[in-house]
Amino acid sequence: DADVTQTPRNRITKTGKRIMLECSQTKGHDRMYWYRQDPGLGLRLIYYSFDVKDINKGEISDGYSVSRQAQAKFSLSLESAIPNQTALYFCATADRDEQFFGPGTRLTVL
Amino acid sequence: AQSVTQLGSHVSVSEGALVLLRCNYSSSVPPYLFWYVQYPNQGLQLLLKYTSAATLVKGINGFEAEFKKSETSFHLTKPSAHMSDAAEYFCAPTGGFKTIFGAGTRLFVKA
């Protein structure tokens, strides 16, 4: 089984809809991250969490929220999706400075 | 603040040729430096990392990178490209539990 899993893997939604992307890990890491990937821009940090009670905004947090339900679970929500949030979203965990990535969720907002 | 530049969004080489992917970073304090690789339809995975133990770092699949402090560079090389090396590569300076990812370089390998 994969160490970092993301659900769903693909999602198409409409403008204005609320959507949640989920991430689970079995690596036992305290640190978890959400990134979005856009062509030519690399990965940009949305939110990160050092433990269940410690959540921090990244460089592009506007329009997103997160919930750290447990050490193993970190969810990303789009309260009211808009087309420019169409992207590939990655969850990652970290041990010291190395990051371990999930397979990604491809989100399309129409 | 750290920043990273990957020169060339696309690099194309012939199978068996040298691979050179360039990365320059800026930082007042030398960070940890990583190269990650992303194969099609997959997440990123670690290729190699520099953590100040040695300036020449060897990674998986025959890749290596050399940390040059005077040039603030961490270029990725492989002597002989293989078709399976076709992927996107990201240089990623890391410090303070945060990682800055470069824009990525997509490597194409021609038969």
Side-chain angles (χ1 to χ4, degrees):
Chain A
D1 288 340
D3 295 321
V4 184
T5 57
Q6 293 183 237
T7 56
R9 292 294 312 278
N10 290 281
R11 181 71 182 268
I12 299 173
T13 191
K14 295 182 178 180
T15 296
K17 294 292 187 181
R18 183 179 188 276
I19 185 167
M20 178 181 287
L21 309 183
E22 299 188 357
C23 176
S24 295
Q25 55 118 345
T26 58
K27 299 190 75 68
H29 294 161
D30 287 326
R31 285 185 281 135
M32 298 187 73
Y33 302 77
W34 275 104
Y35 295 92
R36 65 175 280 175
Q37 183 181 22
D38 299 278
L41 296 179
L43 275 72
R44 292 181 291 166
L45 182 63
I46 306 173
Y47 271 94
Y48 60 104
S49 170
F50 288 168
D51 65 38
V52 175
K53 296 181 180 179
D54 184 3
I55 293 177
N56 306 277
K57 292 183 178 181
E59 60 181 305
I60 56 163
S61 60
D62 287 348
Y64 301 95
S65 63
V66 292
S67 174
R68 185 82 183 266
Q69 300 96 323
Q71 186 203 39
K73 296 184 181 295
F74 192 35
S75 301
L76 176 72
S77 294
L78 287 68
E79 297 301 325
S80 180
I82 56 176
N84 76 0
Q85 291 177 313
T86 293
L88 188 56
Y89 290 84
F90 287 103
C91 173
T93 70
D95 177 28
R96 298 184 181 182
D97 292 292
E98 180 180 347
Q99 300 205 9
F100 299 85
F101 287 84
T105 294
R106 187 169 296 281
L107 176 65
T108 302
V109 183
L110 301 176
Chain B
Q2 294 176 23
S3 65
V4 56
T5 301
Q6 290 186 237
L7 187 61
S9 59
H10 296 83
V11 170
S12 182
V13 300
S14 297
E15 192 172 22
L18 171 71
V19 175
L20 171 61
L21 306 182
R22 300 178 186 273
C23 172
N24 287 89
Y25 70 94
S26 65
S27 175
S28 59
V29 177
Y32 294 153
L33 288 158
F34 293 76
W35 276 98
Y36 289 88
V37 59
Q38 184 181 26
Y39 297 104
N41 300 312
Q42 295 185 27
L44 282 70
Q45 58 185 274
L46 181 68
L47 192 62
L48 53 79
K49 61 182 177 182
Y50 166 75
T51 58
S52 78
T55 57
L56 182 62
V57 181
K58 295 187 183 298
I60 62 171
N61 301 332
F63 283 92
E64 63 182 35
E66 185 172 9
F67 172 69
K68 293 187 176 180
K69 183 177 179 179
S70 61
E71 300 176 7
T72 60
S73 69
F74 191 56
H75 302 330
L76 182 69
T77 61
K78 181 174 180 177
S80 176
H82 191 273
M83 297 296 288
S84 61
D85 295 326
E88 190 158 19
Y89 293 80
F90 295 91
C91 182
T94 298
F97 304 113
K98 289 173 67 176
T99 298
I100 305 298
F101 289 89
T105 298
R106 185 168 295 279
L107 177 66
F108 297 92
V109 182
K110 300 174 292 186

